[in-house]
Amino acid sequence: MRSTTSRRPVKPLVLHAAQIANMPPEGFPDPSTGGNVTWKTLMSNEKTTTDTFTTGIATCPSGSVIACPASLSSESKSSTPSLSNPESLGDAGFLKLHRHSHAEIYHVISGTGVVCIDQQEHEVNTGSVVFIPGDAEHGIFNKGDGDLVWLYVFAADGFEEIVYRFSGEEGGGGRNEKAKL
């Protein structure tokens, strides 16, 4: 056991597949808040004797083919599934466009999707690794037949440090959501 700058004891931690499988998934109570996505927080100082990193596994269920708002013409925005119109996604898995001050890393474990970072879309699939700078607007969608599953990592002691600022539908406004375990 060692002490860190937070003066709390920190211990090594190993989580096995069976432990992770038995963790209850978390999600937004209403998909209109942040999207049709679930996650399992694996390491965060509120739950574990760890610091420095907060990590978890997120899942978007399969659904419609998605496009980033920057790639849509003004005529097609109303009829094409997109981040700018989450209702158009039906039951497709997605995490709405948002920002937070912490940089983030995704490692895609399985599935195929599109991650949109500052209005640039990038196809991702099993094995892809994505770096998202702090304060970059980003979101992710499932465009495959199976679940899109990715490991996420923040350089933060705990998930409570991450404040999600969701992009608004009109005029760039939005809402702030503190990450919740």
Side-chain angles (χ1 to χ4, degrees):
M1 182 165 61
R2 71 176 183 88
S3 272
T4 65
T5 57
S6 66
R7 301 201 196 294
R8 61 184 292 279
V10 175
K11 297 179 183 178
L13 175 65
V14 175
L15 296 173
H16 297 280
Q19 292 170 288
I20 295 168
N22 288 326
M23 291 178 173
E26 304 167 71
F28 298 105
D30 177 357
S32 68
T33 300
N36 181 11
V37 59
T38 60
W39 61 90
K40 294 180 178 186
T41 303
L42 304 179
M43 296 180 191
S44 179
N45 68 1
E46 303 92 9
K47 289 184 165 189
T48 58
T49 56
T50 59
D51 69 359
T52 310
F53 297 109
T54 295
T55 188
I57 295 175
T59 303
C60 285
S62 60
S64 304
V65 175
I66 312 304
C68 186
S71 68
L72 302 174
S73 69
S74 58
E75 297 86 39
S76 67
K77 282 189 179 181
S78 61
S79 61
T80 304
S82 73
L83 279 167
S84 62
N85 184 12
E87 293 79 25
S88 69
L89 303 177
D91 63 353
F94 67 99
L95 175 58
K96 285 176 73 170
L97 288 171
H98 64 283
R99 301 172 189 268
H100 35 70
S101 60
H102 291 77
E104 187 173 12
I105 293 172
Y106 290 171
H107 178 239
V108 179
I109 297 168
S110 64
T112 301
V114 174
V115 64
C116 183
I117 305 170
D118 286 336
Q119 299 185 346
Q120 296 292 312
E121 66 178 37
H122 309 272
E123 186 161 322
V124 293
N125 51 45
T126 303
S128 296
V129 176
V130 179
F131 172 75
I132 303 165
D135 288 317
E137 182 181 54
H138 62 285
I140 190 167
F141 304 88
N142 185 336
K143 70 175 235 175
D145 294 331
D147 288 348
L148 174 62
V149 181
W150 70 97
L151 177 80
Y152 61 85
V153 180
F154 294 103
D157 287 342
F159 207 34
E160 86 283 352
E161 294 178 32
I162 313 302
V163 177
Y164 284 75
R165 301 183 317 269
F166 288 101
S167 302
E169 281 80 340
E170 298 294 326
R175 65 189 280 180
N176 292 344
E177 290 286 331
K178 190 111 171 164
K180 294 185 176 110
L181 296 175

